[in-house]
Amino acid sequence: MKSQLWRGGNSHAIAILRAASINQADPEASFRNQDIAVRSYARANDLRLPDESIARVIEPGLRFKGSQREYFIKLAVRKKIRHVIFEQRSRFERNLASDEWCSDLILANKIVLHFVKKKCVVYTDGECVVMEVAGSFELIKSFKGET
């Protein structure tokens, strides 16, 4: 996936790896598999993903407000890290781009969301939030709030 539309700006990235709970069958194996996937994705897309930019969180996928994922996205914005990489799309991640707070960050071109497993990138084209999945595009939100 080498779209050029989301490539402007810096190539710094953060990856957020998630396990649903400590009681998951093997959270460490899940983290290892996700780590391999996000590193491979970052290399293939010329994104800079140093070891210290990979966060491991254990929390359910439903909640976002007050979550560790919210904290790491805010940290990425503060540190001007533009690319936020998730290995897969949980229920939270599926709705993240349409969340007002997050879509405003995307519209302001402060973050680009990457979902490795679904080959999906959510970014702004300067006028709206766009979801690109394996080369096809979908409008998520315009600057005027229209979808």
Side-chain angles (χ1 to χ4, degrees):
M1 168 175 30
K2 290 270 190 180
S3 169
Q4 297 302 309
L5 296 175
W6 53 264
R7 294 192 175 277
N10 72 51
S11 63
H12 298 282
I14 184 171
I16 302 173
L17 314 181
R18 187 185 70 83
S21 75
I22 199 70
N23 297 326
Q24 185 172 325
D26 188 353
E28 282 306 311
S30 174
F31 284 139
R32 277 192 306 276
N33 292 336
Q34 290 179 63
D35 188 273
I36 290 166
V38 298
R39 287 177 192 272
S40 175
Y41 177 88
R43 274 191 305 277
N45 287 283
D46 302 319
L47 299 175
R48 294 176 50 196
L49 182 64
D51 290 344
E52 63 273 10
S53 292
I54 299 177
R56 294 174 165 209
V57 300
I58 296 177
E59 62 189 7
L62 294 176
R63 184 175 57 89
F64 176 67
K65 293 296 180 194
S67 71
Q68 293 178 61
R69 288 163 294 165
E70 178 186 36
Y71 167 80
F72 285 112
I73 290 171
K74 287 180 176 179
L75 179 65
V77 171
R78 278 197 310 275
K79 293 185 172 266
K80 297 188 183 342
I81 297 172
R82 189 161 169 258
H83 300 275
V84 180
I85 305 171
F86 295 92
E87 193 266 338
Q88 57 185 318
R89 296 174 68 188
S90 69
R91 283 170 280 212
F92 156 73
E93 282 92 9
R94 280 193 297 271
N95 298 320
L96 184 59
S98 59
D99 177 86
E100 192 71 29
W101 169 79
C102 191
S103 62
D104 287 347
L105 290 174
I106 296 167
L107 283 169
N109 206 21
K110 293 187 182 224
I111 62 170
V112 174
L113 303 179
H114 301 261
F115 301 100
V116 175
K117 198 170 192 174
K118 293 291 183 181
K119 297 181 174 137
C120 174
V121 182
V122 182
Y123 59 93
T124 184
D125 66 357
E127 296 181 17
C128 57
V129 174
V130 176
M131 179 182 295
E132 178 181 339
V133 181
S136 63
F137 302 90
E138 177 183 334
L139 171 68
I140 303 291
K141 178 182 178 183
S142 73
F143 276 117
K144 296 176 185 172
E146 300 165 356
T147 54

